[in-house]
Amino acid sequence: MKYTLIIVLTGLLVLTSCSTRKEIVYFQGAEELENKKNLMNFEPVFEVNDILHVKVSSLNEDVVAPFQMNSGGQSQGGGGGGQSPSLMGYMVDVDGNIQFPVLGKVPAGGLSRSELEAYLTEEIKTYVTDPVVAVRLLNFRVIVLGETGQSVVQVENERISMPELLASVGGITYDGLRDNILVIREVDGVKSIGRVDMTTADVFSNPFYYLKQNDIVYVEPTLRKVKSAGWVTSPMGLISIG
């Protein structure tokens, strides 16, 4: 009876240790995407503690000088003396505002980059006829954990998808679940949870396909990896039972 149990358990161990094509291959059913339009428009919105770099330009640079950070040797809205301009920015405060030269308190929280650029352009037109405003989010990052290259990924263009993120850290290891990737997201102080399945073409319509700043992405281990961390790691381990 004991040896029958060992044979059965050994067979189950062998079967569960093998991965199937469905578990490994990305974007299964991708043929259905042929000629489909992308209906997802994604642009992150600014949140509390985000750091924004704002550049105001004009045909006459002298007239926009008061709107530049550190104008006249003063540090406005964040950024310290001696810092590179590319590292200086305006921090969004707990009320969702930034302190901007001349304009004072400017609402930024909850606005996208294009919305804040449009708002600032209209406000600065009171003083300058042809202002051009460019806003950039300096602290866009995504944290990656689990069965992949663990890293804090800095995003320069304010837009990154799940496939791009995984590619940037070397992909998912053989021991990682591709069909149940966890995304932890915080919006206005409230956390939400999402799941992403990279094995189906449906991933392209998943609301967590595009990642937001400060998202946490966790790739869970497979059952095979979990078992390997325990004491039953081989058929020899089963033989020792009893």
Side-chain angles (χ1 to χ4, degrees):
M1 183 68 180
K2 175 181 177 181
Y3 292 104
T4 301
L5 176 62
I6 292 173
I7 293 173
V8 171
L9 292 177
T10 302
L12 290 174
L13 179 62
V14 172
L15 288 175
T16 56
S17 65
C18 298
S19 297
T20 65
R21 180 181 184 277
K22 185 176 181 181
E23 295 172 321
I24 296 296
V25 177
Y26 291 138
F27 311 132
Q28 296 168 49
E31 295 78 9
E32 300 176 5
L33 298 174
E34 186 73 24
N35 297 323
K36 266 192 175 181
K37 291 185 177 180
N38 182 13
L39 301 179
M40 295 177 64
N41 294 319
F42 178 82
E43 190 176 11
V45 298
F46 301 130
E47 301 173 356
V48 173
N49 293 329
D50 277 346
I51 301 174
L52 312 181
H53 176 71
V54 182
K55 179 177 176 56
V56 182
S57 57
S58 169
L59 290 176
N60 184 351
E61 290 298 319
D62 291 336
V63 299
V64 295
F67 299 96
Q68 306 294 4
M69 178 174 285
N70 242 20
S71 176
Q74 298 180 348
S75 177
Q76 301 275 0
Q83 286 184 311
S84 167
S86 63
L87 299 178
M88 297 171 57
Y90 303 90
M91 180 174 285
V92 181
D93 65 24
V94 293
D95 296 318
N97 301 311
I98 60 173
Q99 292 294 328
F100 198 75
V102 181
L103 302 181
K105 188 179 296 185
V106 170
L111 298 183
S112 67
R113 177 171 53 83
S114 59
E115 290 172 336
L116 182 55
E117 287 175 345
Y119 178 88
L120 287 172
T121 299
E122 288 302 311
E123 293 297 310
I124 295 173
K125 276 184 178 179
T126 304
Y127 309 90
V128 181
T129 58
D130 61 342
V132 177
V133 179
V135 177
R136 180 185 172 193
L137 176 61
L138 296 181
N139 63 324
F140 194 126
R141 65 177 189 172
V142 178
I143 300 170
V144 191
L145 301 170
E147 298 300 318
T148 183
Q150 302 184 36
S151 180
V152 177
V153 179
Q154 301 290 339
V155 182
E156 294 184 359
N157 60 2
E158 301 176 24
R159 181 184 176 103
I160 188 169
S161 65
M162 183 65 75
E164 290 174 314
L165 175 71
L166 295 176
S168 70
V169 296
I172 299 175
T173 68
Y174 182 65
D175 292 316
L177 286 178
R178 290 156 170 75
D179 61 353
N180 198 33
I181 300 173
L182 173 67
V183 181
I184 302 174
R185 175 172 295 174
E186 183 173 314
V187 178
D188 295 331
V190 179
K191 286 184 173 59
S192 61
I193 302 297
R195 297 280 180 173
V196 177
D197 184 354
M198 290 293 296
T199 66
T200 72
D202 292 339
V203 65
F204 294 99
S205 58
N206 189 304
F208 288 84
Y209 174 77
Y210 287 111
L211 298 165
K212 292 179 78 279
Q213 64 267 39
N214 302 316
D215 276 356
I216 299 174
V217 176
Y218 174 58
V219 179
E220 299 178 7
T222 61
L223 177 60
R224 175 184 60 254
K225 179 63 177 293
V226 173
K227 288 189 303 181
S228 71
W231 62 278
V232 181
T233 60
S234 69
M236 292 305 296
L238 292 172
I239 295 175
S240 67
I241 297 177

